[in-house]
Amino acid sequence: MGAMVEARRRERGVGRWLPVLLVLLWCFLHFPSMTLAVNKVTYKGVTPGISTVDDTLRMLGKPVAKVLSDERIVCKYRYVQVNILKKTSKVMFILIYDPDFRDVNGFSLGSSYAQIYEKLGVEAAGNTVADLENGIGYIFSAEGIVEQIVYGMVR
């Protein structure tokens, strides 16, 4: 039973990362001359491209978990994951699944693709829409509802 629970836990972790990685890959392939969207959006004082590991810990507190890889540090909180590039110690992007969060465009989890398309006029690529002006990605469920918001998309 413990192995089954652990396998499900790993599946959910991959499920959260896969859409983000697909959005970032799509952006890099479609817009080769992009740079990180710096100082465009902030989540509770943490700004992609500007904030550091220390800033993240000071603003958001101690993470529930910290995952280290060769290239990244991922600080996991209840409703957000902050991804930090080890080489620079700067926040790369923030994966937001906070049910009470409303972004700079006025969208939140549960917003529909139709609402986002009406305001931004951007077509979806698979299950994502990228607001490249503000550096925000919206990841949709199969029903066209925002499941995750990504701050720090490239532009």
Side-chain angles (χ1 to χ4, degrees):
M1 175 116 171
M4 187 184 306
V5 169
E6 185 61 31
R8 284 189 183 142
R9 199 174 286 150
R10 276 196 302 265
E11 276 179 16
R12 279 195 298 256
V14 170
R16 285 199 179 176
W17 282 100
L18 187 58
V20 174
L21 295 174
L22 290 174
V23 169
L24 292 173
L25 179 62
W26 176 82
C27 287
F28 281 120
L29 293 175
H30 284 81
F31 304 97
S33 63
M34 293 183 188
T35 57
L36 267 180
V38 174
N39 206 14
K40 285 285 189 174
V41 289
T42 297
Y43 177 83
K44 297 186 178 184
V46 179
T47 307
I50 302 289
S51 298
T52 63
V53 177
D54 292 338
D55 296 332
T56 300
L57 297 175
R58 188 173 59 256
M59 298 296 188
L60 301 179
K62 183 180 177 187
V64 174
K66 201 180 218 181
V67 179
L68 304 172
S69 72
D70 290 340
E71 297 177 5
R72 282 188 224 189
I73 301 167
V74 179
C75 294
K76 295 183 177 189
Y77 295 89
R78 184 171 180 196
Y79 294 121
V80 67
Q81 289 183 11
V82 180
N83 294 267
I84 301 159
L85 187 61
K86 271 187 178 177
K87 185 167 71 174
T88 63
S89 288
K90 302 249 181 189
V91 173
M92 293 172 22
F93 63 91
I94 305 167
L95 179 59
I96 304 165
Y97 38 95
D98 180 344
D100 298 323
F101 178 73
R102 188 166 294 281
D103 75 3
V104 297
N105 290 320
F107 301 125
S108 60
L109 300 186
S111 294
S112 70
Y113 170 74
Q115 292 170 310
I116 292 175
Y117 180 77
E118 182 179 325
K119 182 166 184 172
L120 302 179
V122 178
E123 295 283 339
N127 69 334
T128 62
V129 167
D131 170 5
L132 299 177
E133 179 64 29
N134 289 308
I136 303 172
Y138 300 98
I139 301 171
F140 298 92
S141 67
E143 294 78 30
I145 303 299
V146 173
E147 289 184 320
Q148 298 171 18
I149 298 172
V150 183
Y151 268 16
M153 295 294 301
V154 291
R155 69 174 201 101

